[in-house]
Amino acid sequence: MKYAPNTLLVALFWLRAAEALDNGIGLKPHMGWSSWNVAQCDAASARYALDTADRFISLGLKDLGYEYINIDDCWTTRSRDGSGKLVPDPSKWPDGIKAVADKIHDMGLKFGLYGCAGQQTCAGFPGSDGNKHAESDVSQLVEWGVDFWKYDNCYTPCLDNPPPQTCQRPAGNTQEWYAPMRDAILGAQDTRKIHFNLCNWGRDNVWEWGYDYGHSWRMSVDNWGDWESVERIGSAAAGISEYSGPGGFNDLDMLYLGSPKLNANQGRLHFGLWAIAKSPLVLGLDLATISDETLAVIRNKGIIAINQDELGKAATTFTPPGKPGPESGKIHPYWAGPLSDGVVIGLCAGISAGTYAVDFKDVPGLGEGSYAWEEMYTGDKGTGTGVSFDIDLHDMRVIKVTTATQAKREPAAL
Ligand code: GLA
């Protein structure tokens, strides 16, 4: 709804944008790497950050748009210093944070860190503690040249006292403890534009207000790197697609490609579905040991271009005539979404292997007539009134249908 081509809605959008965390960044889903899925606390180090930055260049990932090197939980010492400042763990950051951020910037990349609204981060390191430290923490980020701040929801106000790591009976709404950090980031934007990633695990329907608070928001609990996570998160994304748009995107969580719990088919569906849902594409794997098979998936130019399309609208499910509708918690076979120069169709064999066919006239955004299309994993191309693919269990096909080369239709009667 936010971006419907209707004057009133466009005017409403601009009013809305004016009150948002609108510092001119996050207009496309961000692409990069995060340390958490790689080796949790052990990967929150300068060595991992710099090694990954080198590999962004040598593996050609930077040229494809992967940009952020984000360090997740565990990068600080266990307590703040006497002035309440966060202290980078000297065993992980022997030259401090700024030296690493500077090197990463010199390579044309961006650098991100992680914090938490509660008393402690999820792994027990200092949090911003009810935002007592929001302004001071942001001033440290600015001083170091940090470009991205993920903000977690552990040890936040809770009816249970002391607050547990994951509160089941929150004493308030996430917005209350995310607002001061949003304001501190906005307050600093003349010196540094920081991407603010809300990590409240989809609580309090974050997609309904996330746009006013950050540039991306986690809409679910963690991706655990198994097929059940892909099903749980991917199926939930369909119902909230309308909330993603330039400046604010549903974050389906870090990609877990290369996980031993996902086979090659599941990896392709994971990447393809996250991409068409306009999720940030944040690699959660060790680039030192990445397989050629996984590299081929994450380097798929056609799928990346669909994710980064300037329209920024997320695909959602549709059901062709005579086919069963979506099943809760399962990956529906048929997805579609608008692109600035066409339509993307996702065909997912998430429930069973089989032949998946669609007539373009049944696809939202398309109609009667002949269209040019291209499938991004197989490279198949064609022209016609529909497509059909035999798809193995848990695999996916991502088809770009180009309206520009659509065959002529009968002109409408005057
Ligand atoms: C939470 C977040 C994860 C990760 C860990 C770190 O679980 O959802 O993405 O940041 O904390 O402890």
Side-chain angles (χ1 to χ4, degrees), residues 201-223:
W201 322 311
R203 288 198 171 176
D204 304 317
N205 289 354
V206 61
W207 42 87
E208 289 175 358
W209 48 270
Y211 185 85
D212 293 336
Y213 282 69
H215 304 98
S216 52
W217 48 86
R218 282 274 303 280
M219 42 61 79
S220 70
V221 294
D222 292 13
N223 178 358

Side-chain angles (χ1 to χ4, degrees), residues 241-285:
S241 60
E242 69 184 279
Y243 297 103
S244 276
F249 291 95
N250 289 316
D251 177 354
L252 276 57
D253 201 5
M254 297 161 281
L255 293 158
Y256 233 127
L257 269 82
S259 161
K261 295 186 223 155
L262 290 175
N263 65 31
N265 293 353
Q266 293 165 343
R268 272 190 294 273
L269 188 145
H270 182 11
F271 188 74
L273 193 54
W274 265 230
I276 69 170
K278 298 292 188 283
S279 173
L281 297 179
V282 179
L283 307 170
L285 47 86

Side-chain angles (χ1 to χ4, degrees), residues 13-78:
F13 163 67
W14 286 112
L15 279 176
R16 190 169 155 72
E19 73 190 25
L21 203 168
D22 183 16
N23 57 8
I25 58 173
L27 300 179
K28 295 179 177 183
H30 61 278
M31 294 176 62
W33 172 93
S34 168
S35 58
W36 186 249
N37 294 351
V38 175
Q40 287 77 46
C41 287
D42 289 345
S45 68
R47 188 185 69 74
Y48 260 105
L50 293 171
D51 185 55
T52 303
D54 282 341
R55 288 178 203 275
F56 266 31
I57 312 279
S58 62
L59 295 172
L61 298 175
K62 178 189 167 200
D63 290 342
L64 289 165
Y66 292 93
E67 187 177 25
Y68 287 88
I69 306 284
N70 291 342
I71 293 295
D72 208 278
D73 207 346
C74 317
W75 59 273
T76 65
T77 53
R78 288 275 173 189

Side-chain angles (χ1 to χ4, degrees), residues 30 54 83 106-108 131 155 208 212 271 311-312 346 359 369 389 412:
H30 61 278
D54 282 341
S83 341
D106 287 348
M107 297 164 88
N131 288 296
Y155 300 98
E208 289 175 358
D212 293 336
F271 188 74
L311 198 60
D359 284 335
F389 288 92

